Amino acid sequence: MSASALLGSIHETHLRLMTRNVEYKEVPVSLNLVFKSYDLHTTSEFALAYFCLIVLGVLERLGALFIDCIRDKPRQPWRIFPRACIYFLITIDRYVLMIAVMNMHIPMLLVTCFGLALGQIIVEIIRYSLMMRRIKKANIAGTTGFEPLKTPDQHQTTHLNESCC
């Protein structure tokens, strides 16, 4: 197979991925977001749509991390309101991603999954760095930050009446 034939087949495959063949008519792929729908025709439109889906996936995971960072504290009920607002925005983001995936265009599904996975990697890196910062702070204070493991003879055991079993 020559290089020009290979490039031609790649170009043809790319064009098939960009359109749907419905009853032998070429129908453009549309990206449905909750409030607006966009018809995608060119490669640059697909690239922009994929970039937006990746950003939405990363924002969903970062929002979930941020909502976990707002801790409940006694006598501070006002913390409920920011958590609820962030949860509202995360829920909208999740529905936008769900509707975009329901497009049944496989590359959009894969890009959305990639955005969510990338966001989870970022969240795990942030959590790891926060954990290491806590450990360093505990080491400076003179503690290890972790409880030592107990040996079996240090455990307090309660003996049950074994005749019942």
Side-chain angles (χ1 to χ4, degrees):
M1 181 180 273
S2 68
S4 62
L6 180 63
L7 287 175
S9 67
I10 290 173
H11 181 69
E12 182 180 329
T13 304
H14 176 69
L15 289 177
R16 284 187 184 168
L17 283 175
M18 288 178 45
T19 58
R20 292 185 189 166
N21 188 359
V22 179
E23 297 178 11
Y24 304 106
K25 289 190 328 186
E26 298 295 326
V27 178
V29 175
S30 63
L31 174 63
N32 296 316
L33 302 176
V34 174
F35 305 109
K36 187 141 173 93
S37 177
Y38 299 97
D39 288 337
L40 306 175
H41 299 284
T42 64
T43 305
S44 61
E45 289 174 349
F46 273 92
L48 182 62
Y50 293 161
F51 177 76
C52 290
L53 289 174
I54 290 172
V55 168
L56 285 173
V58 169
L59 288 176
E60 190 275 333
R61 298 309 311 143
L62 288 175
L65 172 69
F66 187 64
I67 204 168
D68 289 340
C69 290
I70 301 175
R71 300 277 182 204
D72 292 333
K73 291 186 178 178
R75 297 188 193 113
Q76 292 183 350
W78 60 268
R79 290 179 181 247
I80 295 171
F81 183 72
R83 287 173 59 106
C85 291
I86 295 168
Y87 183 77
F88 175 77
L89 294 174
I90 292 171
T91 304
I92 288 176
D93 188 10
R94 289 174 180 163
Y95 278 116
V96 168
L97 289 172
M98 179 190 67
I99 291 173
V101 167
M102 288 174 59
N103 187 355
M104 299 302 174
H105 188 64
I106 299 301
M108 281 192 197
L109 170 71
L110 296 176
V111 166
T112 303
C113 291
F114 174 75
L116 290 168
L118 181 65
Q120 187 62 35
I121 289 171
I122 293 169
V123 164
E124 294 299 329
I125 290 171
I126 291 170
R127 285 184 179 165
Y128 180 77
S129 65
L130 291 174
M131 180 186 67
M132 293 307 292
R133 188 179 302 158
R134 244 182 287 130
I135 290 172
K136 282 183 183 179
K137 194 181 289 185
N139 285 339
I140 291 171
T143 62
T144 61
F146 295 104
E147 301 245 345
L149 293 175
K150 293 182 179 180
T151 60
D153 51 334
Q154 290 177 333
H155 288 288
Q156 294 179 354
T157 57
T158 58
H159 297 286
L160 299 174
N161 185 358
E162 295 178 8
S163 64
C164 68
C165 299

